[in-house]
Structures are given as C-alpha cells and as structure tokens.
Amino acid sequence: MDRIQMKNPVVEMDGDEMTRVLWAEIKKELLEPFVALNTVYYDLGLPNRDATGDAVTVEAAEAVKKWKVGVKCATITPNDQRMTEYKLHRMWRSPNGTIRAILDGTVFRTQIPCPGLKPFIPGWTQPITVARHGYGDLYKDTEFRIEGPGQAELLFTGADGSEQRATIYDFEGAGVLQGCFNKDSSIENFARSCFEYALGERRDLWFSAKDTIMKTYDGVFKQTFQRLYDEEYKPRFEAAGIRYFYTLIDDAVARLLRSHGGVVWALKNYDGDVMSDMISTAFGSLAMMTSVLVNADGCFEFEAAHGTVTQHYYRYLRRERTSTNPVAMIYAWTGALRKRAELDGTPALAAFADRLEQAVMDTIAAGTVTGDLAALMEPKPASVDSWQFLAAVRKRLEA
Ligand code: NAP
Ligand code: MG
C-alpha cells in the first residue's frame, strides 16, 4: 500500500512518562503504516530539557512559529520531588507555559464525543469549549518567599523614567509575594481568537473574569472584549444568530451548570486551566479532551489536555498491565495532520485523519475501551490495556 505523502512537516514534540511510551506506540501502530510522516522532531522529555538547559523547548516553539503546525506530547513540569527523581540541574519552568509565552495564543479545549458515555451533568447535551488565554498571568509570575518583616511595593519605571508605585503590604512577619502581568496586545489577540472561533463554530461566546475584585487587571480584559465586540464583531454575531456576553466567573459557573452546553467559554489563563479540567471530568474523562493552541499568526499546536499519567507509568515500569487511554493523544495527531492538510491542500491526508478518528469512535462504540471509560459505562464492559486498544483501532483502520 502506498503511504500518504506530506508536503510540509509537522513539528513533533515528544514528552514524558506514560504518554511518551504511548506516543511511540501511536506512531508505530496508527500513523507510520499509513502516512509517510514528515516531522521536525524535538525531544521535550525532562532529561533532554535538563541536558539542553531547556533550550530545546524554546527551539520547538520557534519551529511551530515557522511551520505553523505542531503536535505535543504531555511533559513533566518539575517540582521538588522531580528534582531528586530526575537529578535536575534546575527546576525548569512548565514547557507549556514557555511555549504559550512564545506563541502567545489561546487554548481551545473541547470534549471528544464518546459513544455510550453520559455526562455527569445530564443537561449537558452539547459540547462546551473552554477558550483559555495562553499568555501571562500566574504562568509568567515572579514570586518571592518573604523571610521576615518589611514593606512590599509594586513599582513600574516607565521608559521615560517616570514611576508608578504602590504599597502591596507591610509584612509583620514571613509570607509570600507574587507579581504577574499581561499585555494589551495579547489580551486583544485572545479576544479576537475567541470571537473568530465562536463564529466558526456558530456558538455563543461567554467571557468571564473577576473584575469586581481585580478592577483594573480583569477590567482591561472585560473592556477589550466589549470594545472589539461593539466595534467589529456585533454585526457578524447577529448575522450568525449567536451572542456574546460578559458575566462574573461565579455567575458563569452557575449558568453553565444549568445550561445545555453548546457554548464557547473564554477564561483567563488560570481560570481556563482549572475549569477545563473540571468540565472534561464532568463529561467523562480527562483523556477525552482535545486541546489546541491558536495564535494570531495562524500557528496551531495540538496536544492532549491530560498530563503524563505518572501513576500508570510507575505501574508500567513494574511491568504491570496499564490501561491508559490514548484517545486524546490520537486526536492531537489527527488535529495536527488535518490542519497540515488544510494548509498544504492535501485532501488525502485530511481524509486519513477523519478515518482514524472514525476508527477510534467505532472501536469505543463496539465496547473496546480502556479502564477510565469502562468505569463510566453502564453496564460496565471489560476493559482492555492500551496496546490492545491501539491494536483494535488499527484493525478497523486497515479494514
Ligand atoms: P495526569 O497525568 O493528567 O493524571 C491524573 C490522573 O488522571 C491519572 O492518575 C489518571 O487517574 C487520570 N488520567 C489522566 N490521563 C489519563 C489517560 N490518558 N487515561 C487514563 N487515565 C488518565 O495529571 P497529574 O498526575 O496531575 O500530572 C502528572 C504529570 O503530568 C506531572 O508531572 C505534571 O507536571 C504533568 N502534566 C503535564 C501536562 C501537559 O504537558 N499538558 C498537563 C498536566 C500535567 P487514575 O490514576 O485514577 O487512573
Ligand atoms: Mg490543568
């Protein structure tokens, strides 16, 4: 059989632990037999990030800028425990944070429809997309441990030498301190990509933040969305029969739980991180959620929303049977290949991505599922391990 050719490469970013194991397996079983994979490979596994002083992460992000399409495996964000486990030279920053800071985009996360699975919120009959601002805030913070009494100040020195200064707190003892930022340009790109995405999907757009507390910081987000809507997007939204509105994040949570879903919910960086995990869990499994970072220059980075599934990896290392769900990782690849096909005008590659997704859906519908999905189904089917699942998908793909 002739394999499908690719005109331009996809930037491939390998990762850690269980997802790294499955990454190689997905390529071997489901991609390479059918597609002459053309990738620019970067090893973002923690040992290589440590060996390159994290330069590999920056290089990978620059490559996504160049080639427009990337696909990323989950990666470890080091903490104290990882410092000893991997004997690291430094506690490297989150690779996703680094990549997002370079690409400056919005992360759209949506559930993968799963045959036979009912959401925990019975009213949610339509998918919910969380649009997470992928730049700044807590993910690019500067933080101190305060060891004793003293005054903390916020100081901005303008390029012209002018100063803006405010007291944050007069510490009477030890504590912690944090500073974070965002930029008008990034906030505007965030708002634009959300409006465009909602129009593309023909779904209502909500933006929510906490401008009652962070009157200036969150206020700028709120005003930016409103200004762009009033000045540019309102007629297009009305023509599409959809609407945009802002509401406090507390109110949005309450509304969402009572809704039928079917909305695009735009959130600041941290809110989007937490809420997308909550929503994916409510829809079933973290392993059934796609995640794509889109920026204003038309760069796309696809990944699974879950992490490296550490506990499964430790079991795998002990040679125990593991049933880690590879579906979101497969969809990261199909998303990237489909986007590559769209940009390059290679319909055979797009058709392959569709066929692979259909094979995954048919496999699940036939009752061949990993443990996480089996646990959610009624009656509960027997689960297969990750390798059996991939083999079943391959069989359908070949048929
Ligand atoms: P996680 O890897 O997403 O796993 C949390 C739990 O969710 C797992 O223990 C497992 O539950 C379940 N789970 C997640 N993905 C699954 C899958 N594909 N199939 C079946 N079950 C799945 O999150 P974590 O344990 O908080 O983080 C582990 C590492 O991943 C950390 O080092 C973190 O830094 C990193 N991380 C990376 C990314 C990223 O690169 N995008 C995102 C988040 C976290 P059970 O154990 O109950 O089966
Ligand atoms: Mg998260």
Side-chain angles (χ1 to χ4, degrees):
M1 196 180 74
D2 280 346
R3 294 193 302 167
I4 296 162
Q5 299 297 313
M6 292 173 64
K7 248 189 217 166
N8 287 301
V10 159
V11 177
E12 175 186 354
M13 291 162 273
D14 210 342
D16 290 299
E17 299 193 313
M18 203 60 221
T19 45
R20 186 183 182 96
V21 173
L22 292 176
W23 190 262
E25 211 56 33
I26 289 167
K27 284 173 65 179
K28 180 164 77 81
E29 286 292 313
L30 302 180
L31 302 175
E32 280 161 352
F34 308 96
V35 179
L37 267 191
N38 177 2
T39 73
V40 188
Y41 178 88
Y42 292 89
D43 182 0
L44 266 52
L46 188 49
N48 193 46
R49 272 181 280 146
D50 195 48
T52 60
D54 209 22
V56 67
T57 309
V58 176
E59 284 163 20
E62 294 296 342
V64 176
K65 270 189 166 171
K66 176 175 177 194
W67 294 108
K68 302 287 183 203
V69 184
V71 59
K72 181 180 168 293
C73 181
T75 43
I76 292 169
T77 299
N79 56 13
D80 284 330
Q81 182 242 321
R82 301 295 196 170
M83 293 295 290
T84 26
E85 184 182 0
Y86 283 85
K87 302 186 178 63
L88 300 179
H89 294 97
R90 269 182 54 189
M91 200 187 290
W92 307 108
R93 279 177 171 271
S94 151
N96 286 346
T98 302
I99 293 167
R100 284 174 200 145
I102 293 171
L103 293 180
D104 180 5
T106 302
V107 181
F108 294 92
R109 290 189 170 171
T110 312
Q111 312 75 228
I112 299 165
C114 181
L117 209 69
K118 291 201 183 70
F120 284 111
I121 315 285
W124 286 358
T125 52
Q126 294 160 44
I128 295 167
T129 297
V130 170
R132 169 185 172 188
H133 187 203
Y135 183 82
D137 298 354
L138 306 181
Y139 300 82
K140 271 284 176 189
D141 76 339
T142 305
E143 42 182 43
F144 288 159
R145 176 89 179 101
I146 302 291
E147 300 294 351
Q151 188 183 51
E153 281 186 297
L154 197 59
L155 168 66
F156 173 74
T157 312
D160 62 358
S162 63
E163 288 189 354
Q164 262 175 282
R165 196 186 277 270
T167 301
I168 297 171
Y169 192 66
D170 284 314
F171 282 90
E172 62 281 355
V176 282
L177 186 64
Q178 178 179 51
C180 57
F181 72 95
N182 225 301
K183 302 191 298 191
D184 281 10
S185 59
S186 178
I187 297 167
E188 182 159 330
N189 286 343
F190 168 46
R192 275 185 198 287
S193 55
C194 293
F195 285 125
E196 294 291 345
Y197 188 93
L199 281 166
E201 300 283 312
R202 282 184 171 260
R203 283 194 269 147
D204 285 357
L205 174 66
W206 304 3
F207 172 57
S208 55
K210 193 78 178 175
D211 70 307
T212 44
I213 302 297
M214 288 164 276
K215 290 185 168 54
T216 303
Y217 201 109
D218 283 16
V220 168
F221 279 80
K222 177 184 172 179
Q223 288 147 21
T224 303
F225 270 80
Q226 196 61 51
R227 175 173 54 77
L228 288 177
Y229 183 67
D230 292 341
E231 289 174 1
E232 288 180 43
Y233 287 99
K234 200 168 177 219
R236 290 173 66 193
F237 266 57
E238 283 170 357
I242 56 174
R243 49 186 211 129
Y244 162 72
F245 66 89
Y246 170 83
T247 184
L248 270 181
I249 188 161
D250 325 44
D251 178 56
V253 169
R255 280 177 192 247
L256 198 75
L257 286 176
R258 291 193 301 260
S259 79
H260 296 296
V263 301
V264 179
W265 187 20
L267 290 159
K268 288 173 59 198
N269 212 345
Y270 173 78
D271 299 339
D273 184 357
V274 178
M275 288 300 162
S276 60
D277 285 350
M278 194 267 292
I279 287 172
S280 63
T281 306
F283 268 103
S285 167
L286 200 57
M288 295 298 287
M289 176 167 260
T290 60
S291 181
V292 56
L293 175 81
V294 184
N295 82 359
D297 303 328
C299 297
F300 294 80
E301 188 226 347
F302 295 83
E303 59 168 357
H306 58 78
T308 59
V309 213
T310 310
Q311 296 313 318
H312 293 210
Y313 181 60
Y314 292 154
R315 292 209 286 277
Y316 166 81
L317 290 180
R318 293 195 301 267
R319 295 178 187 271
E320 289 170 28
R321 172 182 181 270
T322 52
S323 184
T324 315
N325 187 343
V327 171
M329 301 173 70
I330 298 172
Y331 271 65
W333 274 101
T334 52
L337 295 179
R338 192 183 290 109
K339 181 53 73 179
R340 187 73 274 169
E342 188 189 311
L343 297 178
D344 293 352
T346 48
L349 187 61
F352 169 76
D354 293 345
R355 278 205 308 283
L356 176 49
E357 288 181 3
Q358 194 57 50
V360 169
M361 285 302 120
D362 292 347
T363 302
I364 296 174
T368 306
V369 291
T370 45
D372 57 320
L373 294 185
L376 297 167
M377 287 176 169
E378 210 48 73
K380 189 171 179 277
S383 64
V384 296
D385 65 34
S386 306
W387 291 263
Q388 290 167 325
F389 181 82
L390 292 175
V393 174
R394 174 161 181 179
K395 219 171 175 181
R396 283 182 189 273
L397 198 54
E398 280 170 342

